[in-house]
Amino acid sequence: MYPAPRAPRRAVAAATVALLATAVGCAPQPEENASAAPSGSAVKSCAKGKLATKTSGKLTIATDEPAYEPWFKDDKPANGKGFESAVAYAVAKQLGYDKSAVVWQSVPFNKAFAPGVKTFDFDINQVSISTERKKAVDFSSGYYDVRQAVIALKNSKAAKATSIADLKDLKLGAQVGTTSLDYITDVVKPTQEAAVYAKNDQAKSALKNGQVDAVVTDLPTAFYITAAEVTDAKIVGQFENQGGTPEQFGLVLDKGSALTSCVTGAVDALRTDGALAAIEKQWLSEAVDAPVLK
């Protein structure tokens, strides 16, 4: 998001989608399995199709606009295509809501995890789970393990970088509020202040126009950008996960939401029965060959 800065994507061949990677990301430091403490009786409150949702009988799901590929398809979250759209509907089904009972809502990336009462039941928008964010909102358990990647124009000095040290003197950019930006400031620690953008589209434009040497996004987004949007750019490399647990995307809920334990249970069930892995394989990737920057 995020701003993974979000980047991508209008339409890319299925072959390109198959290249997308298993690991990727968008927000401040992650946390191991990070759902908030369950509230209420799980058995009673998680009755299928009868949750205490914003609108009775409906499940309101939020994401940012535009909704980029490969997370969504054709900027239409409601079509069930793209990794996060497919995950959202799979979670809804686990909770007892069919496609006709799902209502989509547009919420800006940063607003999704800002303090305050939410207008949605849960948000799905490449939001990485972090201790800091959990002060303001609840998260489900993670539905995707994330890696961050660096993109640069093929003929640039940045494209030759093979280590984190090689990035330090470069002008780097990322979307505001994302893990991508955190990796620049906390891992690379460049000598120049990072350029911060409200949207990934702005970061991509800055890269194309030479205003930054490289941009950081989650890895699947990086593959989409270089394959379909900025074709004279390349993935310089990916970062190792920081700390002992992987960065993960989680569904965002109101702080103290009665739905948190139910949504977490749905995500856990999808992971256990292999549904999440199947959705990831379909929409993101089976393997990726991006060098690791150390």
Side-chain angles (χ1 to χ4, degrees):
M1 63 302 38
Y2 301 123
R6 253 169 0 22
R9 355 19 216 259
R10 246 79 225 134
V12 70
T16 299
V17 175
L19 291 176
L20 295 175
T22 52
V24 196
C26 210
Q29 266 112 283
E31 247 190 345
E32 63 259 10
N33 248 345
S35 59
S39 42
S41 162
V43 174
K44 190 174 181 179
S45 63
C46 297
K48 289 192 177 289
K50 297 180 180 180
L51 306 186
T53 54
K54 298 294 181 181
T55 302
S56 181
K58 300 287 184 181
L59 187 66
T60 302
I61 304 175
T63 196
D64 201 355
E65 186 180 8
Y68 294 114
E69 295 187 26
W71 311 107
F72 298 91
K73 184 79 172 170
D74 301 326
D75 194 17
K76 295 177 180 178
N79 64 14
K81 299 177 180 179
F83 178 74
E84 290 194 324
S85 181
V87 168
Y89 281 116
V91 170
K93 185 176 180 180
Q94 281 286 330
L95 295 173
Y97 296 87
D98 61 24
K99 196 169 183 179
S100 65
V102 172
V103 177
W104 285 91
Q105 189 179 92
S106 175
V107 173
F109 178 78
N110 272 351
K111 190 175 179 181
F113 51 86
V117 177
K118 306 307 176 192
T119 57
F120 50 78
D121 293 312
F122 69 77
D123 178 278
I124 183 167
N125 192 21
Q126 301 119 69
V127 181
S128 294
I129 299 165
S130 75
T131 302
E132 184 62 28
R133 288 178 176 178
K134 288 180 71 181
K135 294 175 183 177
V137 295
D138 280 359
F139 280 96
S140 71
S141 51
Y143 63 87
Y144 185 71
D145 293 349
V146 183
R147 284 283 185 100
Q148 298 296 321
V150 179
I151 306 168
L153 297 180
K154 292 176 181 177
N155 60 357
S156 68
K157 176 185 175 183
K160 298 179 177 65
T162 59
S163 68
I164 292 174
D166 292 337
L167 302 173
K168 287 189 180 295
D169 292 330
L170 302 178
K171 182 68 173 180
L172 304 176
Q175 185 179 340
V176 67
T178 61
T179 301
S180 303
L181 183 58
D182 290 344
Y183 267 71
I184 293 176
T185 57
D186 300 338
V187 177
V188 179
K189 300 178 181 177
T191 56
Q192 303 181 59
E193 187 175 354
V196 182
Y197 302 96
K199 298 280 187 180
N200 254 352
D201 279 344
Q202 296 170 355
K204 288 183 295 183
S205 295
L207 179 64
K208 287 191 284 188
N209 295 334
Q211 295 168 308
V212 293
D213 297 310
V215 296
V216 178
T217 72
D218 62 78
L219 190 55
T221 291
F223 269 92
Y224 186 86
I225 291 174
T226 54
E229 298 186 319
V230 188
T231 54
D232 58 343
K234 62 173 283 189
I235 295 175
V236 178
Q238 60 180 308
F239 293 105
E240 292 183 304
N241 279 316
Q242 302 300 301
T245 57
E247 177 183 350
Q248 292 184 315
F249 292 156
L251 305 176
V252 182
L253 300 96
D254 253 328
K255 186 67 178 174
S257 172
L259 302 183
T260 300
S261 61
C262 304
V263 174
T264 287
V267 172
D268 290 345
L270 293 171
R271 185 177 292 280
T272 298
D273 70 11
L276 280 181
I279 295 171
E280 182 178 324
K281 182 176 180 180
Q282 178 180 4
W283 294 108
L284 295 184
S285 67
E286 293 179 349
V288 63
D289 184 22
V292 175
L293 300 170
K294 298 181 178 180

